[in-house]
């Protein structure tokens, strides 16, 4: 006898449903397990390559190039937006109390300037970026400027390059004299105030004195404010009197000074109302008013027969180099302008290497006065090995004379000579350093100014306006002499091995 259990139809249906659900669940679990296993394997396989990032390496015979960024295009007004407050603005307000035009007290958010000084620009080539030159607070500055900003580094460079402790003492004495002789409105002298103020400002900046400097900050602030005021009144034109045909000299020298001040203020995050706008407008004026010859002429005549001269051209070339440092222009902006100006200078070099004032012939008894200036222009713009430089150095080494108390005391030509020969380095610089250093150190007055030149004789120069006992002449030659002594740390030799030891 057997017993058989018979499920009801309802129970049998429920059992079949349960079996189907169990089967589906098992399949889903299996699929998920497989996916999880695949993800684990994929993660394990990708982990070694996930952090990989492609490195882009560039090689350049110049200073390290910072990350690219957008810059204002040529002739485009500089745009600003509010930035953090700065105690420095109190100085700006005070320095403009007597001004006929009010500078709005605003903070500006400035872009980081480019340290790209141009293709092939080898000022300081061969000097390691990691040498620690310049105190840490000045790290944002372009390398060619930063090296002057530490007293210890200045002394070290002076010693390496053939100077002595008296050179630094002489410079500081001049800066204190300039501080004492500054006019209440921030200018200097009563004649050619714009250019004389620019010379003084360049002298302060050459020693790395900024608006935030403890001892000289107020003097620097007032000087910048004075030049900015002039530029604002004249829509970017910097001169005492733009009706005077000689005003391009003043404009170029003042643009040079303001551009260097702009680089300091941008790099060190020192807000200065309207400084960048004024500098940009002044630089644009230079770019837009070059003579067809490649030079710049009196009254900014752009097509006259005279075609300018090397003396005017050299200040404009220096000004444009300082403008390039600011980062307010695209690098390509300067290419054609500088190419034409350097070609102009080459055309003024004589067979023996001397560069004339307005032709490849000597200017009477003054001789080839602009040889060092032409060399410096080529060196500044990355052409240190051009024939203009090589032949010019040979000419200077053979013919240069500097006797402070004779007619051979053309400080203007030697202002260029010292920079060009310093950049040459080696024997060329060693010979020139012997020629000029002690002559300057022996002829500084106790108050920091410099004695009259010539010893009663007219100096052999095209226009020795620094000769005489007037306030302007004394100021001019004092700035020239001091800028010459600052060359020990304003520029490095072309290669480190060429430094004098």
């Amino acid at each position: 006898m057997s017993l058989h259990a018979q499920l009801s139809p309802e129970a049998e249906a429920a059992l079949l449903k349960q079996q189907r659900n169990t089967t589906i669940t098992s399949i889903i679990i299996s699929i998920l397990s497989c996916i999880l296993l695949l993800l684990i394997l994929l993660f394990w396989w990708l982990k070694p390559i996930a952090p990989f990032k492609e490195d882009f390496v560039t090689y350049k015979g110049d200073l390290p190039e910072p990350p690219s960024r957008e810059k204002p295009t040529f002739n485009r007004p500089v745009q600003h937006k509010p930035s953090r407050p700065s105690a420095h603005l109190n100085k700006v307000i005070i320095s403009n109390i007597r001004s006929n035009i009010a500078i709005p007290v605003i903070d500006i958010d400035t872009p980081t300037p480019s340290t790209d000084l141009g293709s092939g620009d080898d000022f300081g080539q061969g000097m390691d970026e990691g040498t620690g030159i310049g105190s840490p607070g000045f790290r944002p500055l372009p390398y060619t400027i930063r090296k002057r900003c530490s007293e210890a580094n200045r002394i070290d460079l002076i010693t390496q390059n053939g100077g002595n402790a008296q050179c630094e003492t002489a410079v500081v004495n001049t800066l204190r004299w300039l501080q004492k002789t500054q006019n209440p409105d921030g200018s200097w002298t009563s004649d050619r105030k714009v250019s004389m103020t620019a010379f003084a400002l360049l002298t302060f900046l050459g020693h790395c004195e900024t608006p935030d400097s403890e001892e000289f900050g107020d003097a620097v602030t007032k000087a910048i404010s004075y030049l900015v005021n002039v530029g604002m009144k004249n829509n970017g034109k910097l001169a005492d009197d733009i009706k005077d045909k000689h005003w391009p000299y003043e404009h170029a020298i003042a643009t040079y000074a303001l551009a260097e001040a702009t680089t300091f203020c941008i790099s060190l995050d020192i807000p200065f109302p309207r400084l960048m706008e004024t500098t940009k407008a002044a630089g644009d004026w230079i770019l837009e008013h070059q003579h067809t010859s490649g030079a710049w002429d009196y009254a900014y005549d752009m097509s006259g027969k005279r075609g300018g001269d090397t003396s005017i051209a050299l200040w404009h070339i220096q000004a444009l180099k300082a403008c390039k440092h600011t980062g307010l222009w695209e690098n390509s902006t300067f290419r054609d302008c500088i190419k034409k100006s350097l070609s102009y200078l080459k055309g003024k070099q004589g067979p023996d290497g001397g560069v004339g004032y307005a032709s490849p012939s000597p200017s009477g008894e003054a001789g080839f006065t602009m040889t060092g200036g032409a060399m410096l222009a080529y060196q500044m713009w990355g052409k240190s090995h051009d024939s203009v430089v090589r032949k010019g150095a040979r000419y200077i080494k053979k013919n240069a004379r500097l006797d402070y108390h004779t007619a051979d005391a053309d400080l203007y030509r030697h202002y260029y000579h010292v920079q060009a020969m310093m950049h040459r380095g080696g024997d060329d610089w060693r010979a020139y350093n012997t020629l000029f250093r002690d002559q300057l150190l022996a002829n500084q007055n106790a108050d920091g100014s410099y004695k009259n030149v010539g010893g009663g004789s007219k100096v052999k120069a095209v226009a020795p306006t620094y000769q005489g006992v007037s306030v302007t002449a004394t100021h001019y030659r004092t700035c020239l002499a001091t800028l010459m002594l600052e060359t020990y740390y304003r520029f490095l030799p072309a290669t480190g091995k060429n430094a004098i030891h």
Side-chain angles (χ1 to χ4, degrees):
M1 178 178 174
S2 61
L3 296 176
H4 297 278
Q6 181 68 38
L7 294 174
S8 66
E10 292 81 7
E12 186 175 3
L15 179 60
L16 289 174
K17 183 177 180 181
Q18 183 178 3
Q19 289 175 342
R20 287 196 301 270
N21 290 340
T22 301
T23 300
I24 293 172
T25 302
S26 299
I27 292 172
I28 293 174
I29 291 174
S30 298
I31 292 173
L32 291 176
S33 298
C34 291
I35 293 174
L36 180 61
L37 180 60
L38 288 173
L39 289 174
I40 292 173
L41 291 174
L42 185 62
F43 178 79
W44 175 81
W45 181 70
L46 291 176
K47 186 176 181 180
I49 64 173
F52 176 78
K53 293 182 180 179
E54 186 175 3
D55 291 329
F56 294 89
V57 181
T58 60
Y59 296 90
K60 182 178 180 181
D62 198 354
L63 303 179
E65 189 169 357
S68 61
R69 70 180 200 290
E70 291 187 5
K71 301 178 185 176
T73 58
F74 180 50
N75 279 338
R76 181 183 299 168
V78 180
Q79 300 294 323
H80 309 295
K81 58 183 180 180
S83 179
R84 62 172 177 77
S86 170
H88 159 73
L89 290 176
N90 292 332
K91 297 179 182 178
V92 181
I93 297 171
I94 294 172
S95 68
N96 284 282
I97 290 176
R98 293 182 175 84
S99 174
N100 294 327
I101 183 169
I103 295 181
V105 181
I106 60 171
D107 281 329
I108 49 178
D109 187 13
T110 60
T112 303
S114 169
T115 57
D116 174 11
L117 307 184
S119 176
D121 182 349
D122 55 1
F123 262 60
Q125 179 184 7
M127 303 302 289
D128 189 341
E129 179 70 23
T131 55
I133 288 182
S135 58
F138 293 96
R139 282 289 178 188
L141 285 168
Y143 178 63
T144 54
I145 293 179
R146 188 175 73 238
K147 58 186 165 32
R148 74 182 74 160
C149 292
S150 159
E151 181 179 1
N153 288 140
R154 284 197 302 270
I155 297 299
D156 184 52
L157 289 169
I158 289 171
T159 303
Q160 289 181 35
N161 294 314
N164 55 36
Q166 191 179 349
C167 295
E168 176 72 352
T169 300
V171 169
V172 174
N173 286 343
T174 290
L175 297 183
R176 288 172 177 159
W177 177 79
L178 288 172
Q179 185 180 46
K180 293 176 182 177
T181 56
Q182 188 175 26
N183 295 326
D185 65 356
S187 66
W188 274 268
T189 75
S190 58
D191 181 41
R192 303 289 181 186
K193 292 172 65 175
V194 169
S195 55
M196 294 303 110
T197 301
F199 274 121
L201 180 56
L202 285 169
T203 305
F204 279 111
L205 295 172
H207 197 256
C208 197
E209 303 300 338
T210 75
D212 282 350
S213 295
E214 182 177 356
E215 182 173 2
F216 301 113
D218 287 340
V220 173
T221 297
K222 290 164 65 178
I224 297 174
S225 296
Y226 175 80
L227 294 177
V228 168
N229 268 327
V230 172
M232 289 177 64
K233 293 175 184 177
N234 297 326
N235 296 318
K237 296 184 282 291
L238 299 167
D240 289 331
D241 181 8
I242 61 175
K243 295 179 181 179
D244 182 343
K245 71 175 186 178
H246 299 93
W247 78 272
Y249 271 111
E250 288 199 278
H251 180 80
I253 297 167
T255 301
Y256 182 6
L258 280 184
E260 189 157 311
T262 298
T263 297
F264 273 99
C265 290
I266 290 177
S267 299
L268 302 180
D269 195 21
I270 303 175
F272 208 109
R274 300 296 184 251
L275 173 58
M276 288 203 297
E277 290 92 336
T278 304
T279 301
K280 185 67 165 57
D284 284 345
W285 179 272
I286 291 175
L287 289 164
E288 295 165 2
H289 290 81
Q290 185 178 28
H291 191 277
T292 54
S293 67
W296 286 262
D297 202 359
Y298 291 141
Y300 284 108
D301 181 351
M302 298 172 63
S303 59
K305 293 182 179 180
R306 182 174 181 271
D309 58 60
T310 55
S311 183
I312 299 176
L314 287 169
W315 284 115
H316 286 78
I317 292 170
Q318 290 174 91
L320 290 178
K321 187 61 181 184
C323 287
K324 190 170 186 288
H325 275 94
T326 67
L328 297 179
W329 288 265
E330 293 287 348
N331 289 340
S332 60
T333 302
F334 303 91
R335 187 177 297 121
D336 291 342
C337 177
I338 294 301
K339 182 179 180 180
K340 291 192 295 183
S341 65
L342 295 182
S343 177
Y344 171 84
L345 293 176
K346 186 183 287 283
K348 305 306 177 186
Q349 186 171 46
D352 62 352
V355 177
Y357 171 73
S359 72
S361 301
S363 301
E365 190 179 26
F368 289 102
T369 59
M370 295 290 100
T371 307
M375 289 174 61
L376 180 64
Y378 271 78
Q379 291 165 333
M380 276 185 162
W381 290 93
K383 299 185 180 297
S384 295
H385 303 293
D386 192 273
S387 61
V388 169
V389 178
R390 299 195 311 271
K391 292 164 62 177
R394 289 196 294 269
Y395 176 86
I396 290 176
K397 196 171 180 179
K398 179 180 178 180
N399 297 286
R401 303 285 184 272
L402 176 55
D403 188 336
Y404 203 92
H405 295 291
T406 72
D408 292 316
D410 184 0
L411 295 185
Y412 182 47
R413 92 173 69 194
H414 286 287
Y415 160 81
Y416 286 119
H417 282 10
V418 67
Q419 296 176 77
M421 297 302 272
M422 170 66 176
H423 184 56
R424 285 286 291 176
D427 291 339
D428 288 343
W429 168 240
R430 188 175 289 107
Y432 186 81
N433 184 63
T434 300
L435 177 70
F436 98 99
R437 186 195 69 184
D438 292 343
Q439 286 285 326
L440 294 187
L441 294 178
N443 287 285
Q444 187 178 39
N445 293 316
D447 63 1
S449 64
Y450 275 79
K451 298 175 183 177
N452 191 16
V453 294
S457 300
K458 182 180 179 181
V459 172
K460 297 175 183 176
V462 174
T465 52
Y466 49 81
Q467 186 175 24
V469 295
S470 69
V471 172
T472 300
T474 301
H475 176 89
Y476 183 18
R477 68 171 169 269
T478 297
C479 289
L480 286 176
T482 305
L483 287 167
M484 291 166 68
L485 289 175
E486 289 177 342
T487 301
Y488 289 111
Y489 40 81
R490 287 183 73 216
F491 301 117
L492 292 177
T495 58
K497 66 182 181 181
N498 284 340
I500 296 174
H501 296 284

